[in-house]
Each structure stands twice: as structure tokens, then as C-alpha cells.
Amino acid sequence: MEEKKLKLNYKRTFIIGLTFFTILMLWQMYNYYCPLFLARLLKNTNYLIGIIMAMDNVLALFLLPLFGNLSDKTHSKYGRRMPFIVVGTILSMILFPLIPLFFAKNSLVGVIATMGLVLIFMQMFRNPAVSLMPDVTPKPLRATANGIINFVGYIGAIFAGAIQMISLFKMPNIETEIPNPYLFIIPFAFTSILMLVSLIILIVKIKENKVLEEMKLDMEVGEQLAETEAASKPDHKLTKQDKTNLVSLIASIFLWYMGFNAVETFWSTYGIEVMNKGSVSIATVALTVASLITFIPAGKLVSKIGRKWSIILGLGLMIISLGGCFICSQISLKTNLVIYILLFVISGVGWAFINISSYPMVVEMSDKNSVGKYTGLYYTSSMLAQS
């Protein structure tokens, strides 16, 4: 009966998801344009570009746990997470258009320094932003809520893709002179404006301390229904079994992120060098759209079959789809893009099931004072794997 009393606030969860919207939108723009700027300024020195672009993952290994722990220990009239979200978002969106400005001025030092500052301020609010959802969502409902958060975040990535596609300011061939490099400021400024709008909605609609007070009883009920042995202990100290589960989960997260990221990174290379097709990005788009469509219905299914079996289902789908890709690469189908697109769609569905269930399983181990710490564990594992 107690479990039936718990009801997810979809509207509030969607608004909290705007933080993830801004994160994925900025990352998409950053990862698209910054390598192109660096290629121009560094005269296409690929290994240096790769090292600089890898700095986001390296910084994340240290900064995500740091700001997660800091936000756990923060107590203010604005809440624990909101001060980091507000300050980090504002500084990021102010600095972001300066990257193309320094590029237009042909300043390599300016571009790299500004990229570094944007990365630091993005990491400043990324962990607190993600931690805000479990702070105000009872444990049994977190997988469904995470589906909504991911859905909103992927819309941000699609917005960034749309900005890139409709932008008239395409990067010409490396040998060709750019008529007016200052025009690249426009898509960056537009991204910052969307970040500002999202932040204003979040500030107006989410009063963190007030929401925490409103959710106090639901959070206590959710704690009683938690799927850990520690939940039944007054001090919430993890038992030996809980620690074993946590280590196993973190190791699994590391492995599936490493495997998937390796495929994602080299897919375009395979498409161009083996398939001789420049349009292979459509398969990645298909994967993203498949994940986007799956997030919300998968969240509801998770509540019926459980998070563990949802992850197993997702892994099974990805093993089948990526195994199918491997088989295709060894036979005459290796240049059939349609087959790969269908397999990538299956992989996208599987990836959605994994994503919405794994993070809630990690923060299941936390109490109300350590959500940021466990969020840091999750992201440290995934970032290290991607590195």
C-alpha cells in the first residue's frame, strides 16, 4: 500500500531535466566545433587535437567527485545543488561564445584557455544537476524519473544538431580561407541564450528547499522500500553485500561504457575506410532517436520488471546488435548501410534500458547526505572508461 502512495511528479522531473538539456546541448556544440577550430589553429596536428579534446574526460575524473561532495555538504537558503547549478551555468554560458571569438582573432592560447574554463565550470554544475533528481525522487521511482531526465537531455543534443545543420556558417576545407570567422560566434551565442532560458525556468519553478520539505514523507517511504540492506539500518552503513553489489555495478558500468564508446568512436572511420560511405552518421542518428523514443516507456517497464533485469535486457539487445555488426563486417554485408542502421536502432533501445536503470542503482546505495558522492562514483567510472 505504501508503494502505491508514491507518485512521480512528471512536470517537476521534466523541469529538472532542463539541466541535462543544457549539458548535452553544450557538449554537442563543443565537440562539433572545437576540433575544427583547433585543426585550423594547429595546422591539422591530429595528435595534439586529440589530447586537448580528451581533457574534458580527464578533468571530469577529478572535478565531478569534488563538486559532488561539496554540494552534499552545502547548506544554503537556495538549497544544496542550486547554487552550483546557477553559478556554473551562468559562467559557462558567458564564456562559451568567447571560444569562437578567440578563434576569429586567431588566438590559439585564447581558444584553449577558454575551452579549459568552460570545462571546469561545466563540471562544477554537472554533478549537482544530476544529483538534484534523486534528491527529490523516492528510490522506487528513480528509474522512471531518469528516463524523463535522459529524454529531455537528448532533446538538448538534437537542438544542438539542429543549430549545426541550419547554421550558414559551415567550416570550409582546411586549405580554404574563412571569409568572416566572427560569424561562428552566432551558433555559440544562440546556445548560451537557450541555456539562460532553461536556467530561468529552473530557478522560477524549482525552489529546492521547499521541494525537499514537500517530499520529506515520500522520501522516507521510498527509503523503506530501497533494495539495499543498508536501508534497514539507522546509520545507513553499507553492509558487506551492499559493498560487493556496488563494486560489481561500478565495474559493469566501466566495461559497458568502454565497449560502447570504442564502437561509437570508430564507427565513422569504419564507414569511410571500409564501406566507402560518407553518410554513415545516419546510423548514429538512428541510434540516438531510438534511445530517445525508448527512454519514457522503458522507465515504466523498469518499474514492473526491476532495474537489474532491465539492464540485462539492454545488454542482451546490445550484444545481439553489435554482434550482428561484427558478423556483417566479416561477410558480404559489410557495406550494407541499411543493415547497420537497423542494428544500431536495436542498440539504441538497449542503451536506453541500460542508462535509465544503472544510475538509480548506484544512488540506491546513498542516503540523503551522500547522493553527490555516489553520483561522482558513477561518472568517474563512465568517464574513465570513455578516456
Side-chain angles (χ1 to χ4, degrees):
M1 293 297 292
E2 282 184 325
E3 191 168 6
K4 290 182 179 178
K5 293 178 184 177
L6 296 177
K7 187 176 181 182
L8 182 65
N9 187 320
Y10 284 87
K11 180 181 178 182
R12 183 172 63 221
T13 305
F14 188 93
I15 293 172
I16 290 173
L18 290 174
T19 57
F20 206 34
F21 172 93
T22 62
I23 290 168
L24 288 194
M25 180 173 58
L26 186 142
W27 281 142
Q28 185 90 349
M29 295 293 290
Y30 179 94
N31 287 330
Y32 179 79
Y33 280 107
C34 288
L36 300 177
F37 293 161
L38 292 172
R40 284 268 176 174
L41 296 172
L42 289 168
K43 309 303 179 187
N44 214 19
T45 310
N46 288 330
Y47 74 94
L48 284 176
I49 297 168
I51 291 171
I52 295 168
M53 291 304 297
M55 286 306 297
D56 59 339
N57 288 333
V58 176
L59 285 173
L61 293 176
F62 304 99
L63 296 180
L64 285 174
L66 171 65
F67 287 115
N69 283 320
L70 284 175
S71 65
D72 279 340
K73 296 172 184 175
T74 298
H75 299 281
S76 75
K77 64 179 182 179
Y78 303 108
R80 287 188 296 178
R81 318 296 181 190
M82 287 301 289
F84 290 90
I85 294 170
V86 172
V87 174
T89 303
I90 289 174
L91 291 174
S92 298
M93 71 186 191
I94 289 173
L95 288 168
F96 196 50
L98 296 182
I99 296 175
L101 176 62
F102 281 115
F103 169 70
K105 291 181 175 293
N106 205 35
S107 172
L108 176 62
V109 173
V111 168
I112 294 176
T114 310
M115 285 172 60
L117 288 172
V118 168
L119 289 176
I120 290 170
F121 293 128
M122 283 294 291
Q123 307 299 355
M124 177 183 180
F125 81 89
R126 184 175 181 178
N127 186 314
V130 176
S131 298
L132 185 58
M133 181 277 284
D135 277 347
V136 299
T137 307
K139 288 185 174 179
L141 302 178
R142 287 176 181 173
T144 304
N146 202 36
I148 296 170
I149 296 290
N150 277 275
F151 177 82
V152 179
Y154 270 54
I155 291 175
I158 290 172
F159 263 71
I163 293 171
Q164 293 161 15
M165 285 191 291
I166 65 176
S167 173
L168 299 177
F169 322 115
K170 305 296 182 184
M171 184 70 75
N173 184 282
I174 193 77
E175 306 295 335
T176 308
E177 184 180 349
I178 302 173
N180 187 357
Y182 287 95
L183 291 176
F184 284 104
I185 297 172
I186 295 175
F188 280 72
F190 190 63
T191 300
S192 291
I193 290 169
L194 288 177
M195 291 176 70
L196 177 61
V197 172
S198 298
L199 180 63
I200 290 172
I201 294 172
L202 188 71
I203 293 172
V204 171
K205 295 294 184 179
I206 304 295
K207 309 296 182 185
E208 187 180 342
N209 288 335
K210 182 180 177 182
V211 174
L212 286 171
E213 189 61 34
E214 290 174 355
M215 293 299 297
K216 190 174 181 179
L217 180 59
D218 282 8
M219 296 301 289
E220 290 174 0
V221 173
E223 200 63 43
Q224 295 168 13
L225 298 169
E227 298 176 18
T228 61
E229 294 179 358
S232 61
K233 296 180 176 296
D235 60 357
H236 199 89
K237 188 175 181 179
L238 295 184
T239 66
K240 184 177 180 180
Q241 184 60 55
D242 287 335
K243 291 177 181 177
T244 300
N245 291 343
L246 179 60
V247 171
S248 299
L249 184 58
I250 292 297
S252 298
I253 290 167
F254 176 86
L255 290 170
W256 69 56
Y257 264 102
M258 183 167 64
F260 181 68
N261 193 252
V263 172
E264 190 177 39
T265 299
F266 289 101
W267 164 242
S268 58
T269 303
Y270 179 84
I272 292 171
E273 294 188 3
V274 178
M275 299 176 69
N276 296 317
K277 295 181 186 294
S279 58
V280 293
S281 61
I282 191 172
T284 309
V285 172
L287 187 151
T288 303
V289 172
S291 294
L292 181 71
I293 294 171
T294 305
F295 280 132
I296 293 179
K300 294 181 179 179
L301 182 61
V302 169
S303 64
K304 299 183 187 301
I305 67 174
R307 286 168 290 198
K308 175 183 174 181
W309 287 106
S310 296
I311 290 177
I312 291 172
L313 172 62
L315 286 171
L317 290 172
M318 292 198 72
I319 290 168
I320 291 169
S321 60
L322 297 179
C325 289
F326 171 74
I327 292 170
C328 288
S329 71
Q330 304 301 307
I331 59 178
S332 59
L333 291 173
K334 66 182 179 182
T335 58
N336 191 323
L337 184 58
V338 175
I339 298 294
Y340 281 99
I341 291 171
L342 293 175
L343 290 169
F344 269 49
V345 166
I346 296 171
S347 191
V349 172
W351 192 237
F353 273 99
I354 294 170
N355 267 336
I356 65 170
S357 302
S358 54
Y359 173 63
M361 284 186 77
V362 173
V363 291
E364 185 87 359
M365 306 288 179
S366 69
D367 60 20
K368 63 181 180 180
N369 297 314
S370 60
V371 172
K373 172 185 173 182
Y374 283 85
T375 299
L377 277 176
Y378 175 85
Y379 277 108
T380 297
S381 176
S382 61
M383 287 292 177
L384 184 61
Q386 292 177 74
S387 297

